[in-house]
């Protein structure tokens, strides 16, 4: 399909642009309620399965850690380090780079240029597989890298061995993330949820069998985690190649290797944007290790991070949903519909965030009990309840604003905003409060929450001031340029 043949669905009346099929003007409370209900149905149709899919994928690593903990404490530490540091680092880069596909596929699908989706998918595979090949060196050299940053030698050596065993998972990331974006752009989210749920069931049953019944230990844990991820990859790939996507998938083509420059630039901007977000809160755990009585500080912040991690899976579902809604509507030339989708989702996640915030404040003395029996750790974690509650509220809104940015194609702008708010403002302020003014863990986290607040306010202002008609008019040009056609 010729990319140059794309045209915006608009007409001109007295010199003004009118977008055909856009959301009509809303009149009165009944009209607003009806429009909100219709938009919420579209949102939850995408967000519900996306949340379930994210939770299932997230649980694969958590379950492997749980099984490793029953092998031994050293094994648990090694798997935890590999899963959070080595695999987490690589996953952040690859998932971020794949979000470029979220912009292009979503806008192309909305513009009814469905034939380009398969080409974009293959271009993303080329870029992410090459990146995975480079990242595999981090896996190979992970033991000395972990020792260099101060990790215990025994843990580093075993984590390094486990990381080498997990290289197949790295290449599974490179294939499955673009496949997921390809399916999400076309609202094929239910099949993704079914595949992720099936993979999780298989993972639990066979991990227990291989690790304990067959006595394969840590090697068996790595084998099963790799297999589970490749079950997801091959199942999604089989669905794409099944003939259900005759328009979107035209077969493998050499066009995937042509004019990759603009695609690479958008992929890199997307990767930087998401990595700055994913790594930000993890820095708190690292900084906590340099405080007085670091074991208590690290344990307390780790308990809080567990709650934030589960909430992030919910936020990620809405991130995916709104990026699809915005990209589809902009690609279709529906600026009012895109703007209304953004307003609707922000109201939804604010309510969810407020409920979670209230729950943490109410259960401030009880929530640490789920993770520790130590009275000292429980008191330390409880003392962080207020900051945790504020973070839960911000963490429900901020990822959704990131999803709006992905849907609209603002990745490069948001990457600069994240760099300034998080690492130029938030981290130094946290270190100043935590170490210089001796506020400890509260100071570190409080300073970094200020960075998140600044970033959220900045994105809110940008979103509210966005000229959606202009964004819709530029959507097709963005498809042509960022899709790889100079």
């Amino acid at each position: 399909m010729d990319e140059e043949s794309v045209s915006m669905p608009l007409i001109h009346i007295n010199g003004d642009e009118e977008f055909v099929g856009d959301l009509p003007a809303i009149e009165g409370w009944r009209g607003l309620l009806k429009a909100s209900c219709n938009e919420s149905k579209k949102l939850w149709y995408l967000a519900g399965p996306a949340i379930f899919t994210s939770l299932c994928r997230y649980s694969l690593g958590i379950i492997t850690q749980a099984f490793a903990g029953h092998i031994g404490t050293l094994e648990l530490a090694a798997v935890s380090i590999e899963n959070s540091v080595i695999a987490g680092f690589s996953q952040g880069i690859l998932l971020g780079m794949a979000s470029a596909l979220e912009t292009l596929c979503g806008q192309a699908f909305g513009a009814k240029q469905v034939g380009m989706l398969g080409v974009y998918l293959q271009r993303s595979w080329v870029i992410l597989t090459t990146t995975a090949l480079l990242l595999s060196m981090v896996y190979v050299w992970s033991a000395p890298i972990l020792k260099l940053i101060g990790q215990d030698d025994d843990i580093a050596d075993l984590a390094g061995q486990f990381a080498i065993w997990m290289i197949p998972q790295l290449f599974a990331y490179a294939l499955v993330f673009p496949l997921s974006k390809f399916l999400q752009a076309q609202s094929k989210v239910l099949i993704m949820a079914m595949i992720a749920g099936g993979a999780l069931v298989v993972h639990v049953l066979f991990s227990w069998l291989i690790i304990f019944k067959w006595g394969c230990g840590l090697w068996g844990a790595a084998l099963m985690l790799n297999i589970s991820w490749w079950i997801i990859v091959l199942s999604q790939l089989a669905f794409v190649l099944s003939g259900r996507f005759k328009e979107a998938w035209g077969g493998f083509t050499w066009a995937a290797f042509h004019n990759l420059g603009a695609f690479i630039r958008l992929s890199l901007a997307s990767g930087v944007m998401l990595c700055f977000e994913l790594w930000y809160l993890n820095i708190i755990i690292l900084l906590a290790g340099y405080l007085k009585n670091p074991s208590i500080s690290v344990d307390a912040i780790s308990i809080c991070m567990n709650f934030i991690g589960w909430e992030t899976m919910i936020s990620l579902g809405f991130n995916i949903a709104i990026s699809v809604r915005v990209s589809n509507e902009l690609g279709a030339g529906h600026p009012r519909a895109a703007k209304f989708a953004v307003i609707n989702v922000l109201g939804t996640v604010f309510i969810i965030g407020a409920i979670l915030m209230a729950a943490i404040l109410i259960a401030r003395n009880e929530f640490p009990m789920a993770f520790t029996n130590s009275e000292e750790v429980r008191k330390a974690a409880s003392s962080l309840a207020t900051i945790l509650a504020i973070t839960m509220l911000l963490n429900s809104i901020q990822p959704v604003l990131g999803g709006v940015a992905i849907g609209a194609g603002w990745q490069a702008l948001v990457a600069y905003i994240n760099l300034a708010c998080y690492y130029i403002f938030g981290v130094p302020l946290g270190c100043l409060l935590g170490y210089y003014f001796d506020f400890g863990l509260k100071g570190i986290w409080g300073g970094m929450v200020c960075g998140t607040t600044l970033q959220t306010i900045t994105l809110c202002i940008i979103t509210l001031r966005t000229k959606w008609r202009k964004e819709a008019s530029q959507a097709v040009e963005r498809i042509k340029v960022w899709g790889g056609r100079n």
Side-chain angles (χ1 to χ4, degrees):
M1 183 175 293
D2 186 0
E3 290 170 293
E4 301 297 340
S5 66
V6 177
S7 60
M8 290 299 296
L10 57 83
I11 58 176
H12 294 268
I13 301 176
N14 297 325
D16 294 328
E17 292 180 347
E18 293 293 334
F19 292 84
V20 178
D22 199 3
L23 182 73
I26 299 173
E27 297 182 1
W29 287 104
R30 289 185 178 180
L32 178 61
L33 182 60
K34 182 179 179 181
S36 297
C37 289
N38 289 336
E39 179 58 38
S40 293
K41 289 178 182 178
K42 297 176 183 178
L43 175 69
W44 280 101
Y45 175 80
L46 295 167
I51 292 170
F52 180 78
T53 301
S54 298
L55 287 172
C56 288
R57 292 182 180 180
Y58 180 73
S59 297
L60 293 176
I62 298 299
I63 288 170
T64 299
Q65 289 185 40
F67 279 120
H70 290 282
I71 300 173
T73 55
L74 179 62
E75 286 78 3
L76 173 60
V79 173
S80 299
I81 290 294
E82 191 281 333
N83 196 37
S84 60
V85 178
I86 306 301
F89 171 79
S90 302
Q91 187 179 38
I93 292 175
L94 294 174
L95 182 60
M97 294 181 71
S99 71
L101 203 65
E102 206 164 337
T103 303
L104 292 169
C105 281
Q107 293 188 357
F109 185 77
K112 301 189 185 304
Q113 304 303 312
V114 183
M116 289 308 303
L117 269 64
V119 178
Y120 293 151
L121 171 61
Q122 293 172 66
R123 284 178 183 164
S124 189
W125 275 341
V126 171
I127 295 169
L128 264 66
T129 303
T130 303
T131 305
L133 188 62
L134 297 175
L135 289 172
S136 65
M137 294 298 100
V138 176
Y139 281 61
V140 172
W141 295 98
S142 57
I145 291 172
L146 291 172
K147 292 177 182 178
L148 185 65
I149 62 175
Q151 190 58 249
D152 177 80
D153 285 355
D154 290 337
I155 296 176
D157 287 334
L158 190 56
Q161 181 63 65
F162 190 77
I164 293 174
W165 291 338
M166 292 309 302
I167 288 177
Q169 182 195 49
L170 172 65
F171 287 92
Y173 289 160
L175 295 179
V176 78
F177 292 151
L179 277 168
S180 297
K181 304 306 179 186
F182 175 87
L183 293 171
Q184 288 164 10
Q186 301 170 78
S187 300
K188 304 297 183 182
V189 289
L190 288 175
I191 186 65
M192 293 173 54
M194 293 171 61
I195 290 172
L200 180 61
V201 172
V202 170
H203 183 71
V204 172
L205 294 177
F206 281 88
S207 290
W208 173 79
L209 183 64
I210 291 176
I211 295 172
F212 298 118
K213 289 298 181 180
W214 295 354
C216 294
L218 200 60
W219 182 87
L223 174 65
M224 199 58 233
L225 188 54
N226 282 319
I227 290 174
S228 298
W229 272 98
W230 275 97
I231 287 174
I232 296 175
V233 174
L234 296 177
S235 298
Q236 289 191 0
L237 182 60
F239 184 67
V240 170
L241 301 180
S242 65
R244 298 171 182 265
F245 300 90
K246 293 181 180 179
E247 290 186 63
W249 177 262
F252 293 98
T253 172
W254 287 108
F257 296 91
H258 297 164
N259 302 317
L260 289 170
F263 208 114
I264 292 174
R265 287 194 295 275
L266 182 59
S267 296
L268 290 175
S270 301
V272 170
M273 180 192 109
L274 193 61
C275 286
F276 280 164
E277 293 179 7
L278 293 177
W279 297 340
Y280 186 54
L281 284 178
N282 289 333
I283 290 176
I284 299 177
I285 299 177
L286 179 64
L287 295 177
Y290 299 105
L291 292 169
K292 301 173 184 176
N293 200 355
S295 61
I296 299 298
S297 298
V298 171
D299 285 349
I301 195 65
S302 296
I303 289 173
C304 295
M305 289 299 111
N306 283 330
F307 285 93
I308 293 174
W310 287 111
E311 189 209 17
T312 298
M313 297 303 104
I314 299 174
S315 300
L316 184 59
F318 286 103
N319 171 288
I320 292 169
I322 192 58
S323 69
V324 172
R325 291 290 300 124
V326 169
S327 60
N328 282 179
E329 296 296 354
L330 289 179
H334 298 159
R336 286 195 297 266
K339 181 179 180 179
F340 188 74
V342 172
I343 294 172
N344 189 77
V345 75
L346 286 176
T348 300
V349 298
F350 179 82
I351 293 172
I352 294 174
I355 292 172
L356 293 174
M357 179 180 182
I360 290 295
L361 292 175
I362 292 171
R364 62 187 310 140
N365 295 319
E366 288 77 26
F367 77 85
M369 297 172 63
F371 294 93
T372 181
N373 293 321
S374 169
E375 185 63 27
E376 194 173 5
V377 174
R378 282 159 58 177
K379 287 182 179 179
S382 295
S383 69
L384 299 172
T386 301
I387 301 177
L388 173 60
I390 295 172
T391 304
M392 297 286 269
L393 179 62
L394 292 173
N395 201 45
S396 66
I397 299 172
Q398 185 274 330
V400 170
L401 292 171
V404 174
I406 292 171
W410 305 335
Q411 285 94 324
L413 172 64
V414 177
Y416 286 117
I417 293 172
N418 289 350
L419 174 63
C421 295
Y422 289 161
Y423 298 95
I424 296 178
F425 176 71
V427 172
L429 179 61
C431 292
L432 186 67
L433 294 174
Y435 301 127
Y436 185 79
F437 289 102
D438 203 26
F439 284 110
L441 191 53
K442 290 182 181 178
I444 293 174
W445 197 355
M448 296 180 72
V449 165
C450 289
T452 305
T453 303
L454 178 61
Q455 188 256 16
T456 303
I457 292 172
T458 304
L459 289 184
C460 281
I461 293 172
I462 291 173
T463 302
L464 292 173
R465 297 185 55 157
T466 296
K467 297 179 180 179
W468 292 100
R469 293 172 65 86
K470 182 179 179 181
E471 291 293 331
S473 298
Q474 293 177 342
V476 171
E477 186 63 27
R478 183 177 294 118
I479 293 171
K480 290 190 288 186
V481 175
W482 289 351
R485 179 69 60 87
N486 293 325

